[in-house]
Amino acid sequence: MVDATKTSELTWQVEPVRDDLQPAIDAYVVLRRAADAVDRHVESELGEWGVTTAQYGVLLHLMKGEPLSLTDLSGLIFRSNSTLTSLIDRMERDGLVAREAHINDRRVTTVELTPKGGELLGKIRSHHRPFLADMMSCLSPEELTGIGELLNKIEHKINEGNCP
């Protein structure tokens, strides 16, 4: 019989390799598990308001009141243009956003928040911000700062090719 306490942490491992590469691989797996758990938790909470994380991101980026192009929005919420198009289709159908041709370039489509979208965003934000703070409350302010700095280092390494 296998001792589950010794293997439960490494159940993801497909081969019994423990070398100098393993700490990085273990950290990656923990990061993915945590990110997936956070995604599920946040999606569930936002689902109570009838929006997805991506839709909430669109609403947040439009709350300043200035229209944004689909290309700009796709970069801000980390979605491809094709994914964003169907996302905006649903949001427009639900009356949360409106599309318009760009004022100076009719080839560019911009998106802006509707009054209904602004009202929904206000309701969600008043609950969502405390929800996120509670989700992260197991970490001290110093740990929150530290984890942010560490994750930024990883992102910089991936995007720039080196660690800051």
Side-chain angles (χ1 to χ4, degrees), residues 17-18 37 51 58 69 80 104 117 122 130 138 144:
V17 176
R18 297 300 296 174
V51 298
V58 168
S69 72
S80 68
N104 296 325
C138 62
L144 289 170

Side-chain angles (χ1 to χ4, degrees), residues 17-83:
V17 176
R18 297 300 296 174
D19 56 20
D20 60 338
L21 303 177
Q22 201 60 47
I25 295 165
D26 291 345
Y28 168 78
V29 170
V30 169
L31 176 63
R32 287 302 310 240
R33 282 184 176 165
D36 289 348
V38 167
D39 284 346
R40 284 190 308 275
H41 194 54
V42 171
E43 283 289 347
S44 175
E45 190 262 345
L46 287 174
E48 294 176 18
W49 297 95
V51 298
T52 65
T53 303
Q55 290 172 323
Y56 183 64
V58 168
L59 294 173
L60 282 174
H61 286 290
L62 293 175
M63 78 178 183
K64 293 179 184 171
E66 74 181 58
L68 293 172
S69 72
L70 290 172
T71 300
D72 289 341
L73 272 172
S74 70
L76 291 168
I77 67 162
F78 313 108
R79 298 294 192 277
S80 68
N81 280 346
S82 60
T83 300

Side-chain angles (χ1 to χ4, degrees), residues 76-128:
L76 291 168
I77 67 162
F78 313 108
R79 298 294 192 277
S80 68
N81 280 346
S82 60
T83 300
L84 183 67
T85 298
S86 60
L87 179 78
I88 296 299
D89 286 345
R90 289 189 304 277
M91 294 179 76
E92 189 174 37
R93 178 199 68 211
D94 295 341
L96 303 176
V97 299
R99 281 189 177 114
E100 288 192 18
H102 190 275
I103 193 163
N104 296 325
D105 187 348
R106 307 230 7 111
R107 297 169 297 175
V108 176
T109 299
T110 60
V111 180
E112 59 188 345
L113 197 60
T114 64
K116 180 180 177 181
E119 183 180 323
L120 178 62
L121 177 60
K123 291 176 183 176
I124 295 171
R125 282 190 80 212
S126 67
H127 291 87
H128 190 63

